[in-house]
Amino acid sequence: MAERDDVQERSFEATAKRHADAREKGQVPRSREVATVALLLAGSGGLMFGGQSILDMLVRSMHTAFAPDLALLEDDHLLFSFAGRQLLDALVGIGPFLALMFVVALFAPIAVGGWVFSAEALAAKPARLDPIAGLGRVFGARGWVELAKALVKFALILGVAFLVLWSDMDHMLATARAPVEAALRSSIDIVAHVAAMVAAATIAIAIFDVPFQIWDHGRNLRMSREDLREETKETEGRPEVRARIRSIQQALAQRRMMAQVPKADVIVTNPTHYAVALRYEAGSSAAPVLVAKGADHVAARIREVGAEAGVAMLSAPLLARALYFSTDIDEEIPAGLYRAVAQVLAYVFQLRALRPGERAPNPPTDLPIPEDLRRD
């Protein structure tokens, strides 16, 4: 009941991060039936195509081993050397078949789920020794499926083996009356035939088992709403951490922006709520560029830094608001404000060109601000 409730609660499909974490723990779908089929097919194929050569080698080795030179029996060193050569010859003869089975046994299990190495999966876990949890796994849905699969596999393999042996009954009876070497050759053929037929029958089980293992693995990784929330917190960071990061980023951005204020040509103000710093470099930009802007205390800080650097300031509320809301930092001003900003810059350049004793020009008034850029 607890398992059923847990599965019902975890009604969301696993995320990519959940799958990646499970893979790091060694939790991937596996099908033992695929490995069984691969080993049976490899074994039967190896016996069909190489069994006779293996048998010939073994027969020669046995003839040599059981009919040695009598001189070997009088010298322990020669006897051990002879035994070593016979063993080496036997290994060389049967080595390719053993290598084939080793390679298949190594790679067949990873045909489903791929290669995974996880130190965490090798670590001892006391929870695995819990008898209650063990009974839950045995009598759970997966346990019943594994039991049914084992019974079907047993019945299928037993039936196929019986039918194949029954069909070869005459051949087997003749083998009993044949010479030893001929009987061995016939036995290899029978074993290879039975293994091939059993492998063919096991393929049906593997075809069912592979999608079941993949589905069951996905079912076990499903997530609850709480799991999704926790993963979101781990992935994106907790709200207080994100807020702290944003504040640091804003502080760095404001520091970089303030470093550009002394390079501005003019600071246009609201005069108190908004402040916008502009810079124009003839030949390098088609239009003036907004290098800093701010409202309230940031605007006050812009005015303060500008005053310390001797940047000209002009109170033009409509223009200040239009620039603040229409242009981002390091962007050129919109075309609709070219005329107004040109008048402001002309005024600033006139101030710079003043000679001692000359009268300062009057600041521009009634600047032309298009209706679509006004912010009242």
Side-chain angles (χ1 to χ4, degrees):
M1 180 66 69
E3 179 183 357
R4 183 183 305 172
D5 293 341
D6 185 56
V7 171
Q8 290 177 352
E9 179 186 356
R10 295 186 286 115
S11 56
F12 297 94
E13 292 296 327
T15 61
K17 182 179 182 303
R18 177 92 163 186
H19 281 285
D21 292 343
R23 191 173 186 84
E24 290 180 359
K25 298 176 182 178
Q27 300 174 4
V28 293
R30 294 292 190 209
S31 176
R32 286 178 292 183
E33 309 309 323
V34 172
T36 301
V37 170
L39 286 170
L40 287 172
L41 289 175
S44 61
L47 290 177
M48 287 180 180
F49 295 102
Q52 298 303 328
S53 61
I54 294 174
L55 179 61
D56 292 340
M57 181 276 305
L58 291 177
V59 169
R60 290 194 303 270
S61 180
M62 291 178 67
H63 278 302
T64 304
F66 287 105
D69 188 350
L70 295 179
L72 297 176
L73 303 177
E74 300 176 359
D75 190 330
D76 293 342
H77 179 72
L78 293 177
L79 182 61
F80 280 110
S81 178
F82 172 77
R85 286 197 304 272
Q86 296 304 309
L87 179 60
L88 181 61
D89 291 341
L91 291 176
V92 170
I94 202 173
F97 178 78
L98 296 178
L100 172 65
M101 298 302 292
F102 174 78
V103 171
V104 173
L106 182 64
F107 290 101
I110 65 175
V112 179
W115 173 263
V116 173
F117 176 78
S118 174
E120 185 174 348
L122 301 176
K125 295 183 178 179
R128 294 175 179 174
L129 303 178
D130 185 358
I132 304 300
L135 290 175
R137 288 191 296 268
V138 171
F139 294 102
R142 184 182 180 85
W144 288 111
V145 171
E146 292 295 333
L147 176 61
K149 188 173 62 177
L151 293 176
V152 171
K153 182 166 63 174
F154 174 77
L156 188 60
I157 292 175
L158 182 64
V160 169
F162 176 78
L163 291 176
V164 173
L165 293 176
W166 182 264
S167 64
D168 284 346
M169 184 62 67
D170 295 337
H171 192 191
M172 293 175 60
L173 293 177
T175 299
R177 297 187 295 271
V180 175
E181 185 173 342
L184 289 175
R185 295 181 184 278
S186 180
S187 298
I188 288 179
D189 291 337
I190 293 173
V191 171
H193 187 206
V194 172
M197 292 299 101
V198 170
T202 312
I203 290 176
I205 301 177
I207 292 175
F208 160 78
D209 186 59
V210 170
F212 170 75
Q213 296 296 340
I214 295 175
W215 170 83
D216 187 61
H217 177 70
R219 183 181 69 94
N220 291 330
L221 291 182
R222 279 190 292 195
M223 307 172 69
S224 65
R225 196 177 300 276
E226 181 63 26
D227 293 333
L228 290 174
R229 282 196 293 265
E230 289 298 322
E231 182 177 299
T232 302
K233 290 180 180 179
E234 292 178 3
T235 304
E236 300 180 1
R238 299 187 178 276
E240 58 272 18
V241 176
R242 294 201 304 270
R244 176 60 179 166
I245 292 174
R246 281 197 301 268
S247 65
I248 294 175
Q249 291 174 339
Q250 291 172 357
L252 292 174
Q254 183 174 326
R255 188 176 303 171
R256 289 193 298 269
M257 182 184 71
M258 291 300 177
Q260 298 299 317
V261 171
K263 303 176 184 179
D265 292 313
V266 65
I267 297 175
V268 183
T269 65
N270 190 41
T272 55
H273 294 296
Y274 299 100
V276 176
L278 301 174
R279 183 178 70 241
Y280 177 65
E281 296 179 1
S284 63
S285 58
V289 176
L290 187 147
V291 296
K293 69 176 184 178
D296 298 328
H297 67 280
V298 178
R301 180 59 181 162
I302 291 175
R303 293 194 303 271
E304 180 181 347
V305 173
E308 293 175 356
V311 179
M313 296 189 193
L314 176 67
S315 176
L318 289 178
L319 180 59
R321 290 196 295 268
L323 289 168
Y324 181 88
F325 289 105
S326 66
T327 311
D328 289 329
I329 297 173
D330 293 330
E331 285 188 356
E332 294 183 354
I333 65 173
L337 298 177
Y338 280 1
R339 290 179 57 195
V341 173
Q343 294 181 30
V344 171
L345 291 176
Y347 166 72
V348 171
F349 295 152
Q350 289 176 11
L351 289 178
R352 291 180 181 176
L354 283 179
R355 295 178 180 177
E358 289 185 346
R359 181 180 178 183
N362 295 324
T365 58
D366 196 19
L367 297 171
I369 309 296
E371 289 294 334
D372 58 329
L373 294 177
R374 290 178 177 267
R375 295 293 187 274
D376 297 327

